[in-house]
Amino acid sequence: MTTPRERIPVGILGATGLVGQRLLRALEGHPWFRIAALAASSRSTGRTYGEATRWVLPGSIPSAAATLEVRPCEPGALEGCRVVVSSLGSDVARGVEGAFADAGFAVVSNSSAFRQDPDVPLVIPEVNPDHLGAIAAQRSSGRPGFVVTNPNCSVTGLALVLAPLHRAFGVRRVVVTTLQAVSGAGLEGPSGLDMLDNVLPYIAGEEDKIERELVKILGQRDGDSSIRPASIAVAAHCHRVGTLDGHLEAVSVELERTVTPEEAVATLRGFRGAVADLRLPSSPVAPIEVRTEPDRPQPRLDRDAGGGMTAVVGRVRPCPVFSLRLELLSHNTIRGAAGAALLNLELLAARGELPAE
Amino acid sequence: MTTPRERIPVGILGATGLVGQRLLRALEGHPWFRIAALAASSRSTGRTYGEATRWVLPGSIPSAAATLEVRPCEPGALEGCRVVVSSLGSDVARGVEGAFADAGFAVVSNSSAFRQDPDVPLVIPEVNPDHLGAIAAQRSSGRPGFVVTNPNCSVTGLALVLAPLHRAFGVRRVVVTTLQAVSGAGLEGPSGLDMLDNVLPYIAGEEDKIERELVKILGQRDGDSSIRPASIAVAAHCHRVGTLDGHLEAVSVELERTVTPEEAVATLRGFRGAVADLRLPSSPVAPIEVRTEPDRPQPRLDRDAGGGMTAVVGRVRPCPVFSLRLELLSHNTIRGAAGAALLNLELLAARGELPAE
Amino acid sequence: MTTPRERIPVGILGATGLVGQRLLRALEGHPWFRIAALAASSRSTGRTYGEATRWVLPGSIPSAAATLEVRPCEPGALEGCRVVVSSLGSDVARGVEGAFADAGFAVVSNSSAFRQDPDVPLVIPEVNPDHLGAIAAQRSSGRPGFVVTNPNCSVTGLALVLAPLHRAFGVRRVVVTTLQAVSGAGLEGPSGLDMLDNVLPYIAGEEDKIERELVKILGQRDGDSSIRPASIAVAAHCHRVGTLDGHLEAVSVELERTVTPEEAVATLRGFRGAVADLRLPSSPVAPIEVRTEPDRPQPRLDRDAGGGMTAVVGRVRPCPVFSLRLELLSHNTIRGAAGAALLNLELLAARGELPAE
Amino acid sequence: MTTPRERIPVGILGATGLVGQRLLRALEGHPWFRIAALAASSRSTGRTYGEATRWVLPGSIPSAAATLEVRPCEPGALEGCRVVVSSLGSDVARGVEGAFADAGFAVVSNSSAFRQDPDVPLVIPEVNPDHLGAIAAQRSSGRPGFVVTNPNCSVTGLALVLAPLHRAFGVRRVVVTTLQAVSGAGLEGPSGLDMLDNVLPYIAGEEDKIERELVKILGQRDGDSSIRPASIAVAAHCHRVGTLDGHLEAVSVELERTVTPEEAVATLRGFRGAVADLRLPSSPVAPIEVRTEPDRPQPRLDRDAGGGMTAVVGRVRPCPVFSLRLELLSHNTIRGAAGAALLNLELLAARGELPAE
């Protein structure tokens, strides 16, 4: 494996945003990677990162990053990198990320732009690392680089928790209601006026993402062909609530066979994920933690479990309508965004999929 | 009908609580009723209402009430009343309310104590006023007074909205997730520590109440016998969120036949309720309001519709798992508590069911 | 006085903003005025008010206004009006309001643009209605119309409360710390990310406005000359806190002579203001209410006193450093903005200062 | 110095409270101390700590502590300890802490009970470690143990920041307004109903504590006699706001000589405190951090500076009424409570003042 003195240089696209800030923090002192370039939109280029960024995480901008000049999101501007992590807005991501892949970069993207492309893998390392095989399809189309994506912030925790249940018992139908934190909307998220003493019962595009991304992640690759989505009916109800971090989700799930809550809990607790052997630096000890108090998980108390990379499940109980009900929480800007992308990057590195410098 | 100068004297049991405060406000200047006595637990008796009450509604305690002495919750202490509205805690309500009914009082209760008793009606005037027929069963058991109850604060809005859909299309299954305001837990509700940057994914007893009360309300009286619950499977997921008033609920509903969102909206908008002709003073112009913006209802913007007595529905759309999805909001301490009890009291008065003085 | 059937047509400049929305509400059914035109920036013109406005007040956009076309902020576009109320942003207000005054309009402005101009009155009707005399100075400079301003939202309550103390006891020094609601920053105010579990200890330009506007309001007109500011040293510390409406201010004040809290309270309670005889429609019964509970005023409980037009004072007590300490609250978008402008407009109408149509 | 294998056994009085929870966390893995006993009121005794405690910090109760039996707050019940840290409520603290001191214990108290006793030191190690000399006075009165206290949570940060200014420039008068977090009121603090969309402008006893504790801390010991308070006039205005942790304070200060903001900043930045040489485990690298952005410190962003032990200052600027204005923040349950007590305990250990076992 790589050693500290040969850490892989990585560029961040969309570095000034909220997920970009989390990425910066996560890459500080990372054993395998080092930040080589910070790129953002033309509003920020030409200024230092410290000048261009409205930093909203506790403490100060890492001093090493503060003085870096923000570069434009163009392959030519990121000389010295062959790998970029992107948290660009979906409006520009398709064009920019495509250009980087065309220029030979490995693009590890948190954006929604390519998630539904048939030859772009939508990956959670613990759940469907085999979907990375789709990279070959991208290469065979003549593209020198590739794009790998991670799911929407409200999908990652849900997919992590449903994956072992699906494998063990077969998931047929899911009704999920989300209570999502404001950080999920980024720096330009909802106003205080909207979020104090209020709930927004709508997040544009979110329900559709949940319904489509979940079945792709839990779907199967048939040989070299594209991914066949899982046959699961999913109904999502999305809300923005006045929490800072941590998406909470109430789930009713129909399984193919009768299962007791105890069996479900045992299955969730036994889940280690498909890549536990690789001991990736950002992998939590357990991808899923199950709590047994009646009133957990709670965003403030549980979002940082496993450094924000563990999904916390509670209230596993029978459902009068379907098979099981449960509550789950995962940290939306770590497990649901920056940490998700970084874990994918680590998986690519461990598998030797990153371009040689 | 009664006229202002012969307004019916009413006592409030549990007057110092949050629902008691709302009742006090609602009864100020009521055309049919006047407050004759305020009663509360022994912590408060012997002091004036102003001294005993931690008033949490905007403005000041109504000056007429502030100087009333708080009486004990005993029938003998409320001479001058034959009618009481109770918002007692469920721990004491059964004993106290039973004693008042035994003493010949009409007890209109917001408490959960008697809601599931077979001969106690659980009534929403617009939905099931015929259930009041159960009073006769109470009387025939030799009790000189009677108890009438209204549903839990998270049930009223749900039942109001599902009632016309059930009548028109047949409701089979419901998955409902609530985002409930802190006022629903009363004066001793969750702490700031629990509610800032947090959600509590649990409210003791609440899910069970939703599942049992909904089917009783939508059930049918067979002749003089007790109420046969509706055959609807209900799964509830309850949350306490950081809003002050207004319970928001995300609902997926399975109907007996295929329905378009437009048909559902037309049905909801056409609903006037079973007692519209009576023009009860607390009846809103419309029991249900349907909004068509993508992001409504919102607690802060919509809870006061119809003076807090109108349930507001939005986002009526197809459900990938069941027939329909929608979002609904109702004011938990008005339509879900004080206003619910008062409307029941008005209905009893209009029907001549209240004891003569 | 005017009668309903000859209500004066009024235009609103900046109608889509938060203060514009409050103005719209306040002018619905006003006995003296009617809305004749809604104007806003070029982002909104050409659309109906309903389409152009992100409405954030409870309930719906008044239906009469919803279908009005939004006009540009140009005198020629507001034919039919001779009077405008402006809540334009300070960046454009100076140019636009000046153009309207040059075109003969009476401009009643909530903007900061002209507040410090020597011949522009900065008026709170209860405090310094005589400052309206400065209109004459504007006219004598050849301008056919005029501009009258009201103070910043954090100043109005402070000036209202200090005015009677200044008159009775002489205010020398003031240290004031504000805890301001998010609505004070308008529709584009601080994000949920900034306001949840947080306080912003800074509001750009606000401390300077408090220090300069207070002394102008409490200053004196010497004959026809401009206003001589009061000799009061003012130090302000401004904060944005997570409340929706209602600016709370903690004040330590040095007086010219020793005063007991009781004397101060009596003075505050005795204050009726300089124009009480005019019974202006928006005048509250009392401009100042003094509460004696230890923990009032509170934003949620007290901001709507007097329909949002009454400043609420509490905790009047000795100050170990100066003479007195007290806490005051006033509704920032009503008394501090829309209501302030409307009260000025009413005063102008009552005095016959508005241009004939 | 002590080594890990001879860590000093420490008991916690009031272990189930919020400060007790912070103490538990801080003592986990402490290099000098180990938790030997957890004591609380009779509501909790006889149960395990896990059963008795409503844990409100992120994550779970430390597993080692969860199974400890909670003991009564009596010296005889804490065999094996000679040192206790107390975070008892002020109602019982005087009796209990006195009993422990009489029984020979070193009592390091966060309670207010003894803070104003003339022979009880009120200590911030960086500011007035010499006040520990008062322990001798306690001993000379025949008491085998002693009590050492730390200040109120709203005083510690203020005293830390004013200490170097007082030493350098002489502080004469202070007007301070606090915006205090809900955690300062402990587990039974203000309700969600009080703290959502609201501010409480009153905290019982708090203003008096600030005014009296600050001058004791900045006062001088004259030989062996008791402490002579500093001659500083202090006026405090206290508020509870909707933040979880971190007390923010706006300060206007009058100094004996004219000082520029730059001089003040240099003095604050140069402050290392009186015991920096001891390198106490809980000492932050810098007791005071000065930020220069216009809008800092902010509770969410700055409270964890220095592990919650650094006071963060910002907005140092001239004051139109006094000499300087500034904003300061310190973590109320760490620097203002648990960390304050622990730092005092460390100082006592380093000085050899703790009783031999």
Side-chain angles (χ1 to χ4, degrees):
Chain A
M1 202 51 256
T2 56
T3 72
R5 71 168 174 278
E6 46 188 73
R7 289 187 299 161
I8 299 169
V10 172
I12 301 179
L13 307 180
T16 60
L18 186 45
V19 175
Q21 295 180 25
R22 286 274 183 202
L23 277 168
L24 211 77
R25 271 276 165 83
L27 284 169
E28 271 196 291
H30 193 281
W32 297 359
F33 309 112
R34 62 180 175 82
I35 295 171
L38 301 173
S41 75
S42 59
R43 275 196 313 277
S44 300
T45 50
R47 302 155 73 194
T48 67
Y49 184 75
E51 291 161 356
T53 302
R54 186 167 88 82
W55 187 258
V56 297
L57 300 184
S60 300
I61 297 183
S63 51
T67 54
L68 288 182
E69 190 184 318
V70 178
R71 306 188 196 181
C73 289
E74 299 161 10
L78 266 68
E79 68 281 358
C81 296
R82 302 297 304 278
V83 176
V84 291
V85 185
S86 166
S87 62
L88 291 169
S90 54
D91 49 338
V92 300
R94 196 164 181 96
V96 171
E97 296 178 1
F100 274 86
D102 289 343
F105 281 74
V107 179
V108 179
S109 173
N110 180 55
S111 168
S112 63
F114 285 99
R115 284 184 199 142
Q116 293 297 336
D117 275 33
D119 60 357
V120 171
L122 178 58
V123 175
I124 300 173
E126 291 93 337
V127 175
N128 63 338
D130 60 303
H131 287 202
L132 284 182
I135 293 174
Q138 291 185 54
R139 283 188 182 129
S140 69
S141 72
R143 194 173 238 182
F146 61 84
V147 177
V148 167
T149 63
N150 59 267
N152 177 276
C153 56
S154 60
V155 176
T156 313
L158 182 63
L160 257 181
V161 170
L162 292 184
L165 297 178
H166 187 48
R167 215 136 300 168
F169 313 115
V171 171
R172 275 190 186 141
R173 297 202 276 186
V174 177
V175 177
V176 56
T177 301
T178 68
L179 292 82
Q180 301 183 221
V182 295
S183 61
L187 290 182
E188 308 301 320
S191 69
L193 208 56
D194 283 331
M195 297 317 307
L196 296 167
D197 185 18
N198 205 22
V199 172
L200 299 178
Y202 176 67
I203 302 174
E206 195 84 354
E207 295 172 352
D208 185 57
K209 286 178 191 166
I210 293 177
E211 293 163 14
R212 296 172 69 207
E213 295 181 14
L214 181 66
V215 295
K216 179 168 180 180
I217 296 164
L218 297 182
Q220 294 200 310
R221 288 192 74 234
D222 301 329
D224 277 0
S225 69
S226 60
I227 289 133
R228 186 162 39 86
S231 292
I232 301 174
V234 184
H237 302 250
C238 292
H239 303 80
R240 188 75 68 194
V241 300
T243 52
L244 287 162
D245 286 308
H247 287 356
L248 188 69
E249 311 190 8
V251 184
S252 275
V253 58
E254 185 182 48
L255 302 171
E256 283 168 19
R257 71 169 183 82
T258 306
V259 176
T260 65
E262 292 69 28
E263 286 176 282
V265 167
T267 299
L268 293 167
R269 285 189 167 150
F271 182 64
R272 282 292 161 268
V275 297
D277 294 347
L278 296 177
R279 299 179 183 280
L280 301 176
S282 298
S283 279
V285 174
I288 299 171
E289 177 185 348
V290 182
R291 300 196 71 106
T292 54
E293 301 93 329
D295 61 352
R296 302 285 282 266
Q298 293 177 25
R300 187 174 69 81
L301 300 184
D302 294 309
R303 61 193 168 204
D304 290 322
M309 291 296 285
T310 293
V312 181
V313 173
R315 306 201 68 216
V316 181
R317 59 203 195 284
C319 178
V321 165
F322 287 151
S323 310
L324 284 176
R325 277 180 289 182
L326 56 82
E327 201 78 32
L328 71 90
L329 178 86
S330 77
H331 196 300
N332 54 298
T333 58
I334 299 180
R335 173 52 99 164
L342 185 53
L343 197 61
N344 279 348
L345 180 60
E346 292 169 359
L347 177 59
L348 290 165
R351 291 193 165 197
E353 299 270 13
L354 295 183
E357 288 165 65
Chain B
M1 201 50 262
T2 57
T3 73
R5 69 167 177 281
E6 45 186 74
R7 288 187 299 160
I8 300 168
V10 173
I12 300 179
L13 306 181
T16 58
L18 186 45
V19 175
Q21 297 179 26
R22 285 274 184 201
L23 277 168
L24 210 78
R25 271 277 166 81
L27 284 169
E28 272 195 289
H30 193 280
W32 297 0
F33 309 111
R34 63 179 174 82
I35 294 170
L38 301 173
S41 75
S42 58
R43 274 195 315 275
S44 301
T45 50
R47 301 154 74 192
T48 67
Y49 184 74
E51 291 161 355
T53 303
R54 186 167 88 83
W55 186 258
V56 297
L57 300 183
S60 300
I61 296 183
S63 51
T67 55
L68 288 181
E69 189 184 319
V70 178
R71 306 188 197 181
C73 289
E74 299 161 8
L78 266 70
E79 68 282 358
C81 295
R82 301 296 306 277
V83 176
V84 291
V85 185
S86 166
S87 64
L88 291 169
S90 54
D91 49 339
V92 300
R94 196 164 181 95
V96 171
E97 295 178 1
F100 273 87
D102 290 342
F105 280 74
V107 179
V108 179
S109 173
N110 180 54
S111 168
S112 64
F114 285 100
R115 284 184 199 143
Q116 292 299 334
D117 276 32
D119 60 357
V120 172
L122 178 59
V123 175
I124 300 172
E126 291 93 336
V127 174
N128 62 339
D130 60 303
H131 286 204
L132 284 181
I135 293 174
Q138 291 185 54
R139 283 189 181 127
S140 70
S141 73
R143 192 173 240 183
F146 61 84
V147 178
V148 167
T149 63
N150 60 266
N152 177 276
C153 56
S154 60
V155 175
T156 313
L158 181 64
L160 258 179
V161 170
L162 292 184
L165 297 179
H166 187 48
R167 214 136 303 167
F169 313 115
V171 171
R172 274 192 187 140
R173 298 203 275 187
V174 177
V175 177
V176 56
T177 301
T178 69
L179 292 82
Q180 301 184 221
V182 295
S183 62
L187 290 183
E188 309 301 322
S191 68
L193 208 55
D194 283 331
M195 297 317 308
L196 297 167
D197 184 19
N198 204 22
V199 171
L200 298 179
Y202 176 69
I203 302 175
E206 195 84 356
E207 294 171 353
D208 186 57
K209 286 177 190 166
I210 293 176
E211 292 163 16
R212 295 172 69 205
E213 295 181 15
L214 181 66
V215 294
K216 178 168 180 179
I217 297 163
L218 297 182
Q220 293 199 311
R221 285 192 75 234
D222 300 329
D224 276 0
S225 69
S226 60
I227 290 132
R228 186 159 41 84
S231 294
I232 301 173
V234 184
H237 302 250
C238 291
H239 304 80
R240 187 77 67 195
V241 300
T243 53
L244 286 161
D245 285 309
H247 288 355
L248 187 69
E249 310 190 9
V251 184
S252 274
V253 59
E254 185 182 48
L255 301 171
E256 283 168 20
R257 70 170 183 80
T258 305
V259 176
T260 66
E262 292 69 29
E263 286 176 282
V265 167
T267 300
L268 293 168
R269 285 188 168 150
F271 182 65
R272 281 295 160 269
V275 297
D277 294 348
L278 296 177
R279 298 179 183 279
L280 302 176
S282 300
S283 279
V285 174
I288 299 172
E289 178 185 348
V290 181
R291 299 196 72 106
T292 54
E293 302 93 328
D295 62 352
R296 301 287 280 265
Q298 292 177 25
R300 187 174 70 81
L301 301 183
D302 295 308
R303 61 192 170 205
D304 290 322
M309 290 297 284
T310 293
V312 181
V313 173
R315 305 202 70 216
V316 182
R317 61 203 194 285
C319 179
V321 165
F322 288 151
S323 310
L324 285 176
R325 275 180 291 183
L326 56 81
E327 202 78 32
L328 71 90
L329 179 86
S330 78
H331 195 300
N332 54 298
T333 59
I334 299 179
R335 174 48 99 163
L342 185 53
L343 197 62
N344 279 349
L345 180 60
E346 292 169 359
L347 178 59
L348 290 166
R351 291 192 165 198
E353 299 272 13
L354 294 183
E357 289 166 67
Chain C
M1 203 48 262
T2 56
T3 73
R5 72 168 175 279
E6 47 187 72
R7 287 187 300 160
I8 300 169
V10 172
I12 301 180
L13 307 181
T16 58
L18 185 46
V19 175
Q21 296 180 26
R22 286 275 182 199
L23 277 168
L24 211 78
R25 272 276 166 83
L27 284 169
E28 272 195 290
H30 194 280
W32 297 359
F33 309 111
R34 63 178 174 83
I35 295 171
L38 301 173
S41 75
S42 57
R43 275 195 314 275
S44 301
T45 50
R47 301 154 73 192
T48 67
Y49 184 74
E51 292 162 353
T53 303
R54 186 167 87 83
W55 186 258
V56 297
L57 300 183
S60 300
I61 297 183
S63 51
T67 55
L68 289 181
E69 190 184 319
V70 178
R71 306 188 196 181
C73 289
E74 298 160 9
L78 266 70
E79 68 283 357
C81 296
R82 302 297 305 278
V83 176
V84 290
V85 185
S86 165
S87 63
L88 291 169
S90 54
D91 49 338
V92 300
R94 196 163 182 96
V96 171
E97 295 178 2
F100 274 86
D102 289 343
F105 281 75
V107 180
V108 179
S109 173
N110 179 55
S111 168
S112 64
F114 284 100
R115 285 184 198 143
Q116 293 297 336
D117 275 32
D119 60 358
V120 171
L122 178 59
V123 174
I124 300 172
E126 291 93 336
V127 174
N128 62 339
D130 59 304
H131 287 203
L132 284 181
I135 293 174
Q138 291 184 53
R139 283 186 181 129
S140 70
S141 73
R143 192 174 239 183
F146 61 84
V147 178
V148 167
T149 63
N150 59 265
N152 176 276
C153 55
S154 60
V155 176
T156 313
L158 182 65
L160 258 180
V161 170
L162 292 183
L165 297 179
H166 187 48
R167 216 136 299 166
F169 313 115
V171 170
R172 275 193 187 139
R173 297 202 275 186
V174 176
V175 177
V176 56
T177 301
T178 69
L179 292 82
Q180 300 183 221
V182 295
S183 62
L187 291 182
E188 309 300 322
S191 68
L193 208 56
D194 282 332
M195 297 317 307
L196 296 166
D197 184 18
N198 204 22
V199 171
L200 299 179
Y202 176 68
I203 301 174
E206 195 84 355
E207 295 172 352
D208 186 56
K209 285 177 191 167
I210 293 177
E211 292 163 15
R212 295 172 69 205
E213 294 181 14
L214 181 66
V215 295
K216 179 168 180 180
I217 297 163
L218 298 183
Q220 294 200 311
R221 286 193 75 235
D222 300 329
D224 276 0
S225 69
S226 60
I227 289 131
R228 186 162 40 86
S231 293
I232 300 174
V234 184
H237 301 251
C238 291
H239 303 80
R240 188 76 67 195
V241 301
T243 54
L244 286 161
D245 285 309
H247 287 356
L248 187 69
E249 311 190 8
V251 184
S252 275
V253 59
E254 185 181 50
L255 301 171
E256 283 168 20
R257 70 170 182 80
T258 306
V259 175
T260 67
E262 292 71 29
E263 286 176 282
V265 167
T267 298
L268 293 168
R269 285 188 167 150
F271 182 64
R272 282 293 158 269
V275 297
D277 293 348
L278 296 176
R279 298 177 183 280
L280 302 176
S282 299
S283 278
V285 175
I288 298 171
E289 177 186 348
V290 181
R291 299 196 72 106
T292 54
E293 301 94 329
D295 61 352
R296 299 287 280 266
Q298 292 177 25
R300 188 174 69 82
L301 300 183
D302 295 307
R303 60 194 170 204
D304 290 323
M309 290 297 283
T310 293
V312 181
V313 173
R315 305 203 68 217
V316 181
R317 61 203 195 283
C319 179
V321 164
F322 288 152
S323 310
L324 285 176
R325 276 180 290 182
L326 57 82
E327 202 79 30
L328 71 89
L329 179 86
S330 77
H331 195 300
N332 54 298
T333 59
I334 300 179
R335 174 51 99 162
L342 185 52
L343 197 62
N344 280 347
L345 180 60
E346 292 169 359
L347 178 59
L348 290 165
R351 291 193 165 196
E353 299 271 14
L354 295 183
E357 289 166 67
Chain D
M1 204 49 261
T2 56
T3 73
R5 71 168 176 277
E6 45 188 73
R7 289 188 299 160
I8 300 169
V10 172
I12 301 180
L13 306 180
T16 59
L18 185 45
V19 175
Q21 296 179 26
R22 286 275 183 200
L23 277 169
L24 211 77
R25 272 276 166 83
L27 284 169
E28 272 194 291
H30 193 281
W32 297 358
F33 309 112
R34 62 180 175 81
I35 295 171
L38 301 174
S41 76
S42 58
R43 276 195 314 276
S44 301
T45 50
R47 302 155 72 194
T48 66
Y49 184 75
E51 291 161 355
T53 302
R54 187 167 87 82
W55 186 258
V56 296
L57 300 183
S60 301
I61 296 184
S63 52
T67 54
L68 288 182
E69 190 184 319
V70 178
R71 306 187 196 182
C73 289
E74 298 160 10
L78 266 70
E79 71 282 356
C81 295
R82 302 297 306 278
V83 176
V84 290
V85 185
S86 166
S87 63
L88 292 169
S90 54
D91 49 338
V92 300
R94 197 165 179 93
V96 171
E97 294 178 2
F100 274 85
D102 289 344
F105 280 74
V107 180
V108 179
S109 173
N110 180 54
S111 167
S112 63
F114 285 100
R115 284 184 200 142
Q116 293 298 335
D117 275 32
D119 59 357
V120 171
L122 179 59
V123 174
I124 299 172
E126 291 93 337
V127 175
N128 63 339
D130 59 303
H131 287 203
L132 284 181
I135 293 174
Q138 291 185 54
R139 284 189 180 128
S140 69
S141 72
R143 194 172 239 183
F146 61 83
V147 178
V148 166
T149 63
N150 59 266
N152 177 275
C153 57
S154 61
V155 175
T156 314
L158 182 64
L160 257 181
V161 170
L162 292 184
L165 296 178
H166 187 47
R167 216 136 299 168
F169 312 117
V171 171
R172 274 191 186 142
R173 298 203 276 186
V174 176
V175 177
V176 55
T177 300
T178 69
L179 292 83
Q180 302 183 221
V182 296
S183 61
L187 290 182
E188 309 301 321
S191 68
L193 207 56
D194 283 330
M195 297 317 308
L196 296 166
D197 185 18
N198 203 23
V199 171
L200 299 178
Y202 176 68
I203 301 174
E206 195 84 355
E207 295 171 352
D208 186 56
K209 285 177 191 166
I210 293 177
E211 292 163 16
R212 295 173 68 207
E213 294 182 14
L214 181 66
V215 295
K216 179 168 179 180
I217 297 163
L218 298 182
Q220 293 200 309
R221 287 193 75 233
D222 299 330
D224 276 0
S225 69
S226 61
I227 288 132
R228 186 160 40 83
S231 294
I232 301 173
V234 184
H237 302 250
C238 291
H239 303 79
R240 187 77 66 196
V241 300
T243 52
L244 286 161
D245 286 307
H247 287 356
L248 188 68
E249 311 190 9
V251 184
S252 275
V253 58
E254 185 182 49
L255 301 171
E256 283 168 20
R257 69 171 185 79
T258 307
V259 176
T260 65
E262 291 70 27
E263 285 175 282
V265 167
T267 299
L268 293 168
R269 286 188 166 151
F271 182 64
R272 282 293 161 266
V275 297
D277 293 348
L278 296 177
R279 300 179 182 279
L280 302 176
S282 299
S283 280
V285 173
I288 299 171
E289 178 184 347
V290 181
R291 299 195 72 106
T292 53
E293 301 94 329
D295 62 352
R296 300 287 281 266
Q298 293 178 25
R300 188 174 69 81
L301 300 184
D302 295 307
R303 60 193 170 204
D304 289 323
M309 291 296 284
T310 293
V312 181
V313 173
R315 305 201 70 214
V316 182
R317 60 204 196 283
C319 179
V321 165
F322 288 152
S323 311
L324 285 176
R325 276 181 290 183
L326 57 83
E327 202 78 31
L328 70 90
L329 178 86
S330 76
H331 195 301
N332 54 298
T333 59
I334 299 179
R335 174 51 99 164
L342 185 53
L343 197 61
N344 279 348
L345 180 60
E346 292 170 358
L347 178 59
L348 289 165
R351 289 192 167 199
E353 299 270 13
L354 295 182
E357 288 166 65

